[in-house]
Amino acid sequence: MSTTDDSYSVPQNPDNLTQVSLKEKWWHILDTWKIGIIPLPLFVLAGLLIAVDCLGGKLPSDIVVMVATLAFFGFACGEFGKRLPVIGKMGAAAICATFIPSALVHYGLLPDVVVESTTKFYKSTNILYLYICCIIVGSIMSMNRTTLIQGFLRIFFPMLCGEVVGMVVGMGVGLALGMEPFQIFFFLILPIMAGGVGEGAIPLSIGYATLLHMDQGVALGRILPIVMLGSLTAIIIAGSLNQLGKRYPHLTGEGELMPGKNTQAAGPLTAAFSGKTDVTTIASGALLAVLLYMLGMLGHKLIGLPAPVGMLFIAVFIKLVHGVSPRLLEGSQVVYKFFQTSVTYPILFAVGVSITPWEELVHAFTFTNLLVIVSTVSALVTTGFFVGKKIGMHPIDVAIVSCCQSGQGGTGDVAILTAGNRMSLMPFAQIATRIGGAINVSLALLFLGNFLV
């Protein structure tokens, strides 16, 4: 249970406690004792109301009820992860918010009505994309223009070096364990770097079904657990990198890739929280993110570019040409901060319930698979760290972006950046996941079709 600072406090001297009114004591409880961001009394009330609905046999899947449901379970799992000894500081909150729900579903410990309503809500609303577009647009609008340009131009080199080294190391470990080269590369290494599920595992399974004459379901069943294990490894590494940054501050920009002025903690972002940004400006910032994503969807229909990537490029262009006013920038930044602090764990819970198969993850937990996966991801991230440092970037932040090359798509990026406490790196994470994954899948299938089959 977390505590927060507030504008008043109950006197610490026991002799003075009697002087504090009951009203102030209640306010103190509401403002101090929290599960995630939820005041403890409201958390208890939410749990009771959800229990009443579950006992009645129906939990509505409308947005009003689901906001309370996802917040209750998401922040409960996240708070549990934060309080675990040692690993609580290494990304356990994001891991627990995603994989505890998956395990609860598999073992039948989560009420069926909660599972059904959560799955229906998640798949019918595509709320993950609302989350991603607000995070991407807000983080881009928070960046300094010079830093933005330099970061996008330089990030590709450590990403490329990391993938090459990761593939070589993973292949070497697999061969040392006596595994077949074909199986190592196409069913272990490539799924790790494929860019997630929708953009990676599914296209790979379709390609394998066609080229290798195997059932697509069988192919997907072999690929998907590897994607999940790669993402889990990346989450743990990102959490460890965050702790490394706290111990050695000179190695990190705390969410900035390039050394220089603090472009996010100061300047416009501070102004956004100074009380000068009105509600209409914040609403406009949210609408800007949604409209840019719709433009990304249009680009996907016309040229096939993934909608989040298209939106990312459009947002960068608008930022570089001063296409929006400073007040609208502030509104976007407030929206970004809201989604970062308030929506992350509920989203991860929904992901765990709806699209994270626990049984497949457990089946892939073999000793040889784990060694190849951990060595591949570790080599990729380590290379990103040292290459980033060599070319004048903050090595820890570059390494966390490199972690996203092994992520489970957009959901993996959210979990990895949450564990690494670097949500402002979401634009670069999307490049690593979407573009990097698409290139890897395309080249691998092209090679497989022309040279091996």
Side-chain angles (χ1 to χ4, degrees), residues 1-6 27-41 43 71 74-84 93 341 345:
M1 199 159 45
S2 59
T3 59
T4 58
D5 295 331
D6 45 70
W27 288 351
H28 179 74
I29 292 173
L30 285 173
D31 291 343
T32 304
W33 298 100
K34 298 185 178 183
I35 303 295
I37 66 164
I38 308 175
L40 182 59
F43 181 84
F75 284 112
C77 293
E79 191 73 23
F80 174 78
K82 288 179 181 177
R83 294 188 170 273
L84 291 175
T341 57
Y345 291 113

Side-chain angles (χ1 to χ4, degrees), residues 265-318:
L269 192 56
T270 302
F273 295 102
S274 64
K276 298 179 181 179
T277 305
D278 57 30
V279 175
T280 59
T281 304
I282 297 172
S284 298
L287 183 60
L288 173 65
V290 171
L291 293 178
L292 292 184
Y293 185 77
M294 292 178 68
L295 286 175
M297 293 174 62
L298 180 61
H300 177 66
K301 292 180 180 179
L302 296 177
I303 60 176
L305 189 68
V309 177
M311 174 193 65
L312 187 157
F313 289 146
I314 296 171
V316 170
F317 175 77
I318 290 175

Side-chain angles (χ1 to χ4, degrees), residues 131-140 336 339-340 423 426:
Y131 175 89
I132 289 177
C133 74
C134 289
I135 288 290
I136 288 178
V137 173
S139 56
I140 287 176
Y336 157 76
F339 274 82
Q340 178 192 13
M423 194 60 73
M426 179 62 82

Side-chain angles (χ1 to χ4, degrees), residues 189-452:
I189 295 175
L190 187 59
I192 293 172
M193 303 181 186
V197 179
E199 298 83 0
I202 293 177
L204 265 184
S205 66
I206 295 173
Y208 289 173
T210 302
L211 298 174
L212 302 178
H213 307 291
M214 62 188 302
D215 184 83
Q216 183 190 350
V218 174
L220 185 60
R222 292 180 60 182
I223 294 170
L224 188 57
I226 306 304
V227 174
M228 295 168 61
L229 283 177
S231 186
L232 176 60
T233 304
I235 293 170
I236 296 172
I237 293 176
S240 303
L241 287 168
N242 181 41
Q243 293 304 307
L244 182 66
K246 292 179 179 179
R247 187 169 183 179
Y248 302 102
H250 66 282
L251 295 176
T252 179
E254 292 294 337
E256 296 178 20
L257 291 177
M258 304 299 302
K261 295 181 179 180
N262 190 331
T263 58
Q264 293 183 5
L269 192 56
T270 302
F273 295 102
S274 64
K276 298 179 181 179
T277 305
D278 57 30
V279 175
T280 59
T281 304
I282 297 172
S284 298
L287 183 60
L288 173 65
V290 171
L291 293 178
L292 292 184
Y293 185 77
M294 292 178 68
L295 286 175
M297 293 174 62
L298 180 61
H300 177 66
K301 292 180 180 179
L302 296 177
I303 60 176
L305 189 68
V309 177
M311 174 193 65
L312 187 157
F313 289 146
I314 296 171
V316 170
F317 175 77
I318 290 175
K319 174 71 174 182
L320 295 182
V321 301
H322 301 287
V324 294
S325 67
R327 286 186 65 83
L328 192 52
L329 289 179
E330 294 175 4
S332 296
Q333 292 159 8
V334 176
V335 172
Y336 157 76
K337 191 65 176 178
F338 168 78
F339 274 82
Q340 178 192 13
T341 57
S342 305
V343 186
T344 298
Y345 291 113
I347 284 286
L348 291 177
F349 171 80
V351 167
V353 170
S354 306
I355 61 172
T356 306
W358 178 258
E359 187 175 4
E360 294 182 8
L361 178 68
V362 172
H363 285 167
F365 248 95
T366 66
F367 179 72
T368 53
N369 282 354
L370 284 176
L371 280 181
V372 173
I373 291 169
V374 171
S375 60
T376 300
V377 178
S378 299
L380 187 158
V381 175
T382 302
T383 303
F385 180 97
F386 286 106
V387 172
K389 184 177 182 181
K390 188 69 174 178
I391 62 176
M393 306 177 77
H394 287 126
I396 286 179
D397 302 275
V398 174
I400 290 177
V401 172
S402 297
C403 287
C404 295
Q405 293 177 260
S406 308
Q408 192 178 331
T411 58
D413 290 344
V414 173
I416 291 166
L417 296 181
T418 300
N421 194 29
R422 301 290 192 283
M423 194 60 73
S424 59
L425 294 174
M426 179 62 82
F428 304 101
Q430 288 289 300
I431 290 176
T433 302
R434 310 282 182 176
I435 297 180
I439 292 174
N440 290 337
V441 170
S442 301
L443 291 179
L445 292 180
L446 181 64
F447 178 79
L448 184 63
N450 287 293
F451 296 100
L452 297 182

